[in-house]
Amino acid sequence: MDAQTKIVAREELREMLNSRKTILLALFFTLWFGLINPLMSIGSLSPDMITEQFMTAQIFTMAPLMGGMMAYILTSGVFQSEKFGGIMESLLCTPLGLRSLWTGKLIAVTVISVPFAMLAIGIYMMVPMIFASKIVLPSAIIALQILLTTPLFTLAMAGIIGYTTLVMDMRASSMVSMIAFFVMFFGSMALGPAIIGESAVNISVILVSAAVGLVAFLVINQLASRIDKEKVVLTSASTIEAAKSRR
Amino acid sequence: MESIRVMNVSKSIEGRQILQDVSFSVKQGSVFGYLGPNGAGKTTTLRIMLNLLRPDSGEVLVEGVPLTDGGEQMKRFGVMLENNGLYLNRSARSNLSYFAKLYGVKDVDSAVKETLEMVGLLDRADEKVGKYSKGMKQKIGLARAVIHQPEILFLDEPSSGLDPEAQHAMRELIISLSKKGRKTIFINTHNLDEVQRICDHVGIIVAGRIRACNDLESLRSNFAKPQVEVEMEDDAHAQKAEQLLQPLSSYAGTQRDGRMLVVPVATADSPDLIAFLAGKGVRIRQVRSVDTSLEDIYLRTVGSTKGGA
Ligand SMILES: Nc1ncnc2c1ncn2[C@@H]1O[C@H](COP(=O)(O)OP(=O)(O)OP(=O)(O)O)[C@@H](O)[C@H]1O
Ligand SMILES: [Mg+2]
């Protein structure tokens, strides 16, 4: 990590931690997806359905989703305020490269998102146990899903949103980010159980899902290393407004 | 010595030609005013000089070296763009210290303190910038532009939208950066008064082309139609003088207003004029030469290209 990346990461981290709005937003979604969501679906279950296999399958799908979702919620603010608030151009006049900017912000978002995602997963696990009033833990290998796949999905989703915010105008980037989010969301909702099928979640299934996150991240990381300053400048608010006001 | 040279730069955006064969150079230590009407291409030129946009053709040299994407070159530049680009939800101090770090300033705290002192906002450093007046924001923008002690300053309309007092303060800061700070300064503006007060070189761009570029004095003399204002004893003498001058081709365009005559002359010609009129018995009260104002030059440059296009 170069010095510039570190400066950006530290700055963004401090700003996010100091921002009540950011923390409340993260907490809200943590509770929503960790608590309210499972509470709403728990009625259709009977206590004897809550088995280790059930818990494992649930957490297997939820873990990467929570990471991706937290990233979706927190990343756009971190990039958009600069891009569309007219600060980006000034940043590009410093020795800071776009690559370091993107990476630094990504690190900050991930460092904040992952703990909240894990908190959401933790709460999510408690709900069925309380409902069934017994302790049912998912299989131990699910720890790998939480510790590996969740951060990878967080990085990938944050990377995609950061990248699109940099190279597209506001409307296009919100649209593409939303599509990326829905692909991830419904993709893992549909594919997760299908991959597992009837059999239990095993280590190779977890490794495959981690690999999906990793590949998505590597692809966006590659794209991000080639961002064109001109593209960023021409899609920034300051430029567009100036151009529009004259037509 | 030349600090920056812009060479035959052309640029089109979305198929529209914005700059056409723009060339000029900025001398080291000078204050260069880049003048032009709205939409002329000033900001686009600036963006190309800062490597934010790539020219379609032509290039920009900084002390003879082409612009690169490297950070080292950027450290020599201080920049305040049209939109001063401040984080409104952060304090002035935090705005400045972030940029100081990005520029690799060694002692961030004292650099921040010094620049805040320079713009006179040290006592309000911990307020959120969003609460500042426009003039204060511009000052913080300027402070941020110089926090790393750059050699060359780029300012895009630094005093636009400011009240006269704030404009004056901004101007004084720029002058002191130029004089005491010995910086080369490039200013985009359409404020002629400002140019006249702080710039020594001027470039005028209209519709993407440079129409005039020189130091202020040469520009004046190039454009000057030297004129003298002659005040006569009374209206009768003025009338007489007018009749005497009108047939003479060298004084064509003479105009009278009461007992005042405005007479176009070749530069060294006014003693001849006085002798001529005195010889014919016209009584002259006083003679004064009339300067061509920057406004004249500007309006003529802009006007002539509009008429021609
Ligand atoms: N991102 C963009 N997309 C399309 N056209 C643009 C863009 N940026 C600038 N232009 C066009 O380029 C021309 C020159 O713009 P520029 O901002 O350089 O003018 P300017 O001289 O700085 O004007 P002003 O005094 O209003 O700041 C304008 O006609 C503008 O509409
Ligand atoms: Mg402009």
Side-chain angles (χ1 to χ4, degrees):
Chain A
M1 204 199 307
D2 65 1
Q4 302 283 351
T5 309
K6 257 186 226 160
I7 295 170
V8 175
R10 230 181 262 148
E11 183 81 9
E12 294 296 344
L13 212 54
R14 208 192 37 231
E15 284 303 317
M16 287 175 85
L17 288 172
N18 280 337
S19 154
R20 201 177 305 158
K21 202 177 122 211
T22 305
I23 301 300
L24 286 178
L25 200 67
L27 269 177
F28 173 79
F29 281 97
T30 300
L31 291 179
W32 182 266
F33 283 93
L35 191 62
I36 313 288
N37 219 30
L39 276 181
M40 289 193 305
S41 54
I42 207 112
S44 58
L45 297 175
S46 63
D48 57 317
M49 287 165 78
I50 296 167
T51 61
E52 179 187 327
Q53 197 172 336
F54 169 85
M55 292 293 275
T56 307
Q58 288 281 307
I59 304 302
F60 171 80
T61 16
M62 283 321 286
L65 268 184
M66 292 292 180
M69 195 189 54
M70 225 29 107
Y72 178 72
I73 290 158
L74 297 180
T75 311
S76 44
V78 167
F79 282 85
Q80 272 182 0
S81 57
E82 279 165 8
K83 176 85 188 278
F84 305 116
I87 305 168
M88 187 61 79
E89 258 196 287
S90 297
L91 281 174
L92 295 184
C93 294
T94 71
L96 174 65
L98 276 165
R99 171 76 193 180
S100 310
L101 179 85
W102 181 81
T103 314
K105 284 175 182 286
L106 216 61
I107 292 170
V109 169
T110 305
V111 167
I112 304 275
S113 298
V114 169
F116 277 106
M118 288 181 178
L119 181 62
I121 297 164
I123 300 172
Y124 190 93
M125 266 197 285
M126 304 297 285
V127 175
M129 286 197 259
I130 294 169
F131 171 71
S133 16
K134 58 181 177 187
I135 293 179
V136 193
L137 290 176
S139 133
I141 54 168
I142 215 69
L144 198 62
Q145 180 79 338
I146 296 175
L147 293 176
L148 188 65
T149 315
T150 301
L152 283 171
F153 267 62
T154 312
L155 270 174
M157 186 51 67
I160 291 168
I161 294 169
Y163 176 78
T164 54
T165 312
L166 285 177
V167 300
M168 293 172 195
D169 64 32
M170 186 144 42
R171 267 184 53 196
S173 67
S174 318
M175 204 115 95
V176 174
S177 304
M178 207 148 83
I179 291 170
F181 177 72
F182 281 119
V183 166
M184 180 205 72
F185 191 83
F186 291 110
S188 37
M189 288 302 239
L191 287 180
I195 294 170
I196 316 162
E198 291 301 303
S199 70
V201 175
N202 58 34
I203 192 103
S204 50
V205 174
I206 288 178
L207 288 179
V208 167
S209 62
V212 170
L214 182 64
V215 168
F217 174 69
L218 290 178
V219 168
I220 200 71
N221 186 50
Q222 191 56 34
L223 286 175
S225 66
R226 284 185 252 150
I227 304 178
D228 179 19
K229 261 190 193 179
E230 172 153 335
K231 189 112 221 179
V232 177
V233 170
L234 289 181
T235 51
S236 288
S238 41
T239 347
I240 293 171
E241 269 162 29
K244 269 193 199 140
S245 69
R246 290 195 198 94
R247 284 190 179 150
Chain B
M1 212 181 65
E2 245 172 43
S3 180
I4 304 171
R5 170 173 282 266
V6 174
M7 281 164 69
N8 311 101
V9 164
S10 296
K11 175 77 185 169
S12 52
I13 299 176
E14 291 171 4
R16 212 156 64 85
Q17 190 84 30
I18 311 286
L19 298 177
Q20 260 176 72
D21 205 25
V22 167
S23 297
F24 60 85
S25 60
V26 180
K27 282 215 183 73
Q28 204 167 55
S30 71
V31 182
F32 188 102
Y34 197 44
L35 272 168
N38 289 123
K42 300 183 296 293
T43 301
T44 306
T45 310
L46 187 76
R47 287 197 174 114
I48 288 174
M49 293 165 89
L50 293 168
N51 214 9
L52 295 173
L53 296 179
R54 274 184 310 273
D56 298 339
S57 59
E59 65 174 335
V60 177
L61 303 180
V62 181
E63 275 165 25
V65 182
L67 278 180
T68 55
D69 214 13
E72 282 314 304
Q73 213 166 35
M74 286 317 216
K75 282 188 188 169
R76 303 171 61 186
F77 295 170
V79 185
M80 180 165 79
L81 299 170
E82 252 168 316
N83 163 331
N84 48 31
L86 299 166
Y87 295 93
L88 298 180
N89 57 349
R90 303 189 194 174
S91 69
R93 195 188 297 281
S94 126
N95 268 281
L96 291 179
S97 71
Y98 185 33
F99 274 72
K101 285 175 206 155
L102 291 176
Y103 275 113
V105 170
K106 291 266 149 42
D107 187 349
V108 171
D109 288 342
S110 63
V112 169
K113 189 168 166 258
E114 253 167 55
T115 41
L116 280 167
E117 230 157 27
M118 178 198 89
V119 298
L121 286 173
L122 187 56
D123 52 331
R124 317 230 359 213
D126 296 304
E127 286 172 41
K128 289 210 165 128
V129 171
K131 290 192 187 145
Y132 280 10
S133 69
K134 175 99 207 257
M136 290 162 74
K137 282 184 198 142
Q138 285 300 85
K139 282 184 184 170
I140 293 297
L142 188 65
R144 196 189 60 194
V146 298
I147 190 129
H148 55 299
Q149 313 239 335
E151 298 155 41
I152 310 168
L153 259 185
F154 295 88
L155 309 174
D156 200 346
E157 304 195 16
S159 57
S160 100
L162 302 186
D163 64 37
E165 201 185 329
Q167 269 186 28
H168 176 79
M170 186 49 87
R171 207 174 277 154
E172 290 302 310
L173 282 171
I174 296 171
I175 290 172
S176 110
L177 283 168
S178 153
K179 298 256 162 67
K180 277 190 236 142
R182 304 182 156 282
K183 298 193 192 305
T184 305
I185 305 183
F186 180 89
I187 306 183
N188 272 358
T189 178
H190 29 221
N191 185 335
L192 298 172
D193 190 38
E194 181 165 275
V195 173
Q196 217 144 4
R197 281 167 206 252
I198 64 185
C199 299
D200 41 40
H201 284 68
V202 173
I204 301 180
I205 180 172
V206 184
R209 289 170 186 270
I210 299 287
R211 296 298 172 171
C213 186
N214 217 325
D215 61 86
L216 207 48
E217 280 320 300
S218 318
L219 208 60
R220 277 218 173 93
S221 58
N222 286 348
F223 268 80
K225 292 188 289 189
Q227 294 179 320
V228 289
E229 206 174 63
V230 191
E231 188 181 349
M232 308 299 172
E233 183 77 19
D234 53 31
D235 284 15
H237 278 96
Q239 226 160 13
K240 183 175 170 192
E242 191 185 12
Q243 278 158 12
L244 284 165
L245 291 177
Q246 247 158 14
L248 305 174
S249 63
S250 47
Y251 300 124
T254 295
Q255 284 178 342
R256 185 176 72 88
D257 182 12
R259 57 181 188 205
M260 302 289 287
L261 277 185
V262 177
V263 188
V265 289
T267 339
D269 222 12
S270 50
D272 292 0
L273 172 70
I274 298 163
F276 171 73
L277 290 175
K280 298 283 181 186
V282 178
R283 308 258 297 257
I284 298 171
R285 198 176 261 176
Q286 64 170 332
V287 180
R288 202 167 64 78
S289 71
V290 183
D291 266 345
T292 320
S293 71
L294 184 59
E295 190 172 347
D296 285 337
I297 298 173
Y298 178 77
L299 291 177
R300 258 193 274 162
T301 310
V302 174
S304 72
T305 47
K306 274 196 183 138

